[in-house]
Amino acid sequence: MPETCLITGASGGIGAAIAEKMAARGFSLFLHYFNNRKEIEKIAHRCIEKYKVPVEIVQADLRNKEGVDNLLHQLPKTVDVFIHNSGISQYGLLTDIPYEEIEKMMFLHLTSAILVTQHLLPGMLRKQKGNIILMSSIWGLAGASCEVIYSTVKGGINAFVKALAKEVGPMNVRVNGVAPGAIATKMMAGFSEEEISDICGEIPLSRLGKPEEVANLVNFLISEEASYITGQIISVNGGWYC
C-alpha cells in the first residue's frame, strides 16, 4: 500500500509543484483546496495520468474551525506526510487592518496547521514514523513593513516547528519548515513589472525563485537523505535577506 501525503493549499503554484514531486515518489495524495476547483482538478489529473497514483481532492475553508473539522472528516485515519501550504498574503498598515482579517490570517496560517497536526500526530506516533512540513516565509524570519500580520503568523509557524520537533523527535517524527523568498507565483501578481525588477535587483541571484525550487527542498526534507534533519527553518530565497 502506498504511503499517504496530505497537501493543503495544493491548488497554488507551490502546492501544485509539491503535489507533482510527491506523486513522482509514489505517494497516495490528498490534495486540499478552498475555492479553485478548476485548478485542483487539473493538478489531480496530471498526477494520476503521469504518475499513476491515487488522488483524492478535499475542499475546506481553513480560515475557521468548521472548515478544519470539514477537512479532517475527509481524511483517512493515518497520513504519513503532512505538508501545510495553505496561506494568503496580506498588505497594509497594522492600524488599518480590521479584527476579522487578523483573526482569519491567524487561523488560516497558524491555528489550522496546529489543529490538523494535532489530529494527524497520533497515527504517526503509533507507527513511529512521519514527516510534517510547514510552509513559512522569508518574512517569518526577517519581518516586513506593511506585512506585519503575515510576518507574525509565519514567525509563529517557525516557533511551532522548532518546539514540536523536540516533542516528537524521540518517536521518529520529523518536523521542518520551508521559508520561501520571492517566488514566481500568483502571490506576486499584485506587483508591477517595475516593482518585481526592483525586488530582483535586491536578490543576489537576480531573479525570482520558481515553485519547483521550493518543491525540490520539500522533496528532499521528506526523503531518507534528510533523516537527521528536524526542527529547521530552511529559506529558499536566492540569497535575499540572508
Side-chain angles (χ1 to χ4, degrees):
M1 230 180 132
E3 290 189 314
T4 56
C5 174
L6 166 65
I7 306 169
T8 62
S11 63
I14 291 175
I18 293 172
E20 285 216 46
K21 288 288 182 183
M22 298 303 102
R25 295 182 73 95
F27 278 97
S28 175
L29 299 180
F30 287 81
L31 302 182
H32 159 267
Y33 79 105
F34 173 35
N35 58 15
N36 197 342
R37 179 80 188 186
K38 186 176 180 181
E39 192 59 35
I40 200 72
E41 286 178 343
K42 285 183 187 176
I43 296 161
H45 180 75
R46 195 156 60 239
C47 290
I48 293 168
E49 289 298 307
K50 191 173 180 181
Y51 302 106
K52 313 301 180 187
V53 296
V55 178
E56 288 195 34
I57 293 172
V58 290
Q59 192 278 337
D61 180 357
L62 300 186
R63 296 175 300 176
N64 55 66
K65 188 174 185 302
E66 292 75 19
V68 171
D69 289 341
N70 180 31
L71 172 66
L72 297 180
H73 288 149
Q74 299 177 70
L75 298 179
K77 290 184 179 179
T78 61
V79 169
D80 299 287
V81 174
F82 169 40
I83 301 166
H84 182 69
N85 180 62
S86 288
I88 54 174
S89 57
Q90 190 277 328
Y91 303 96
L93 295 171
L94 179 62
T95 49
D96 295 337
I97 304 170
Y99 170 77
E100 291 77 16
E101 194 170 335
I102 295 172
E103 186 177 44
K104 285 178 181 177
M105 287 289 289
M106 291 288 183
F107 214 102
L108 175 62
H109 289 265
L110 184 56
T111 308
S112 69
I114 293 171
L115 293 177
V116 175
T117 300
Q118 187 180 49
H119 178 84
L120 298 177
L121 261 180
M124 294 181 180
L125 298 178
R126 279 194 299 271
K127 293 174 70 173
Q128 295 205 6
K129 184 182 179 183
N131 258 294
I132 298 168
I133 307 286
L134 301 173
M135 202 60 60
S136 180
S137 165
I138 194 170
W139 299 140
L141 297 168
S145 173
C146 295
E147 293 187 65
V148 172
I149 301 303
Y150 183 78
S151 300
T152 299
V153 294
K154 293 305 189 181
I157 284 288
N158 296 346
F160 179 60
V161 163
K162 290 178 177 294
L164 184 62
K166 292 180 173 69
E167 184 167 305
V168 300
M171 281 71 77
N172 197 38
V173 175
R174 295 191 292 112
V175 187
N176 287 292
V178 173
I183 307 297
T185 65
K186 289 181 181 177
M187 195 173 279
M188 299 293 294
F191 292 89
S192 68
E193 286 188 17
E194 183 179 356
E195 287 170 329
I196 290 176
S197 178
D198 288 343
I199 291 170
C200 290
E202 297 174 358
I203 299 171
L205 290 185
S206 305
R207 64 173 176 86
L208 300 182
K210 302 171 186 176
E212 293 76 17
E213 291 172 314
V214 179
N216 286 340
L217 175 58
V218 173
N219 187 42
F220 169 69
L221 287 173
I222 67 152
S223 72
E224 281 304 307
E225 286 82 359
S227 58
Y228 200 53
I229 299 175
T230 194
Q232 303 305 304
I233 312 298
I234 303 177
S235 190
V236 185
N237 60 34
W240 196 35
Y241 284 95
C242 284

